[in-house]
Amino acid sequence: QYERAETGDNVKFHQEIIEFAFKNLPSANIYTVGPIMQEISLESKVTEKSFIDSEEAADRLKQIIKPGDFVFLKASRCIGLEKIEEKFN
């Protein structure tokens, strides 16, 4: 279970990062991971897909991503994005 550490300014900061990536990385496929990022993703409407956890993201991204794709992943630290990298190595 995830601790809901992101409130107020933290949520706004995460949303700003997603919007920054969308504006400045036009060729990137933007994915979010975690329940909080899922909520932010729905509000921003700029992400390709949002995943509930790193395990789901890793399994699905292994099917989606092709060599040469530019991917931007955003999650809270507690989600453990390193699990996704481990699936690709």
Side-chain angles (χ1 to χ4, degrees):
Q1 188 174 23
Y2 300 107
E3 189 175 316
R4 236 185 130 88
E6 284 78 1
T7 56
D9 289 341
N10 256 348
V11 170
K12 185 177 181 200
F13 178 70
H14 286 303
Q15 189 163 11
E16 288 172 356
I17 291 172
I18 293 170
E19 290 170 3
F20 177 86
F22 179 73
K23 290 176 187 169
N24 294 286
L25 306 170
S27 62
N29 295 308
I30 300 172
Y31 301 99
T32 59
V33 183
I36 294 163
M37 292 293 111
Q38 220 170 24
E39 289 176 30
I40 293 170
S41 183
L42 288 172
E43 291 174 19
S44 69
K45 298 181 176 122
V46 299
T47 59
E48 295 287 325
K49 172 86 173 116
S50 187
F51 303 100
I52 195 67
D53 59 30
S54 291
E55 191 70 30
E56 178 193 12
D59 291 341
R60 186 70 182 112
L61 290 173
K62 245 182 121 73
Q63 298 170 6
I64 297 172
I65 297 174
K66 300 178 289 303
D69 283 354
F70 183 65
V71 175
F72 181 88
L73 288 171
K74 177 67 183 108
S76 300
R77 179 65 199 109
C78 65
I79 296 299
L81 286 181
E82 65 276 1
K83 294 174 188 172
I84 297 171
E85 180 185 7
E86 291 167 5
K87 287 266 186 166
F88 281 84
N89 290 328

